Amino acid sequence: MPDHNLERAYSIKGASDAKALYDDWASSYDSSFGERHGYIAPREIARIFKDLYAGTEPVLDIGAGTGLLAEHLRDRAVDGIDISQAMLDQAASKGLYRNRICADLTQTLPIGDASYGGFVSSGTFTHGHVGPEVFPELLRVAKQGALFVCGVIPPVFDGSGFGSRLALMVAHKLVTMVDFHDIPIYENADHDHAKDRGLVMVFRRI
């Protein structure tokens, strides 16, 4: 069996690499990564979202994968978008997601304008995956007042231009001021990244 690990995931470059990795990893992702690594960021992001979102509009899970975040939002109408159909198929087997959308987040999304009232994301804004270039399309499909609760790895936040992109979005009155939450990514874990922390970006579309 391939040796899937964080280093391989962090080293991918572009959409084709991401699709190949996650298509191959899908069947064992929950056990070999989610459980073995003590991956709790999805739970923590879902908790923040539920604390802040009182609406009933549909929610989009950005980079949904096998649905580890959506497992904590079963009382919501959630759609999942991911570049890997195999990962989405794993989520389907759990009965997760109202709709599953296989698409490249860096391209025009096959979603109508103002479709969602909430957005969540875990493990997508990270090394080798996607950066702030996806925000214009996400804002296009967001309803006015839509809540974004999205995790990001701090080195990626610094190195990929999230700060300046968010500042410009605030300056142009596209989104509200951004709040940040500091969360653990793993718990009860013993591996090289066990003590890593994540940032959660929280803002609303204006």
Side-chain angles (χ1 to χ4, degrees):
M1 175 173 281
D3 182 20
H4 297 302
N5 52 40
L6 280 177
E7 284 67 35
R8 182 177 175 191
Y10 283 175
S11 69
I12 63 175
K13 298 185 184 301
S16 60
D17 279 1
K19 185 178 185 305
L21 169 65
Y22 289 107
D23 279 353
D24 189 37
W25 199 357
S27 63
S28 65
Y29 182 84
D30 287 2
S31 59
S32 67
F33 178 66
E35 296 173 12
R36 186 178 301 171
H37 283 74
Y39 184 49
I40 61 165
R43 182 192 76 195
E44 295 299 293
I45 290 167
R47 175 183 57 79
I48 294 168
F49 183 80
K50 288 190 290 186
D51 284 347
L52 296 173
Y53 189 65
T56 59
E57 298 288 351
V59 177
L60 183 65
D61 185 356
I62 305 160
T66 61
L68 293 180
L69 201 164
E71 288 178 3
H72 302 282
L73 298 174
R74 288 184 179 270
D75 59 336
R76 314 277 175 165
V78 184
D79 291 350
I81 187 168
D82 200 276
I83 200 167
S84 168
Q85 184 62 55
M87 295 287 273
L88 291 172
D89 289 345
Q90 291 296 314
S93 72
K94 303 175 189 177
L96 297 172
Y97 299 119
R98 185 186 65 165
N99 296 299
R100 296 174 305 281
I101 305 161
C102 188
D104 182 347
L105 287 160
T106 66
Q107 305 299 315
T108 300
L109 302 179
I111 300 171
D113 294 354
S115 293
Y116 295 100
F119 295 78
V120 292
S121 182
S122 178
T124 299
F125 296 121
T126 187
H127 300 289
H129 290 55
V130 298
E133 71 276 4
V134 303
F135 282 141
E137 266 296 280
L138 294 176
L139 290 178
R140 178 184 67 78
V141 303
K143 293 178 179 290
Q144 185 175 15
L147 174 67
F148 285 74
V149 179
C150 301
V152 63
I153 302 295
V156 172
F157 183 89
D158 292 336
S160 296
F162 276 92
S164 58
R165 178 61 68 98
L166 289 169
L168 284 169
M169 288 160 56
V170 171
H172 289 282
K173 295 182 170 51
L174 298 174
V175 302
T176 61
M177 295 293 291
V178 183
D179 289 331
F180 294 95
H181 296 250
D182 174 30
I183 63 166
I185 300 176
Y186 309 99
E187 73 175 2
N188 301 324
D190 182 18
H191 52 76
D192 289 346
H193 295 275
K195 295 182 179 179
D196 287 1
R197 306 285 297 185
L199 284 175
V200 182
M201 306 171 287
V202 178
F203 57 90
R204 291 183 183 270
R205 188 193 189 284
I206 293 174

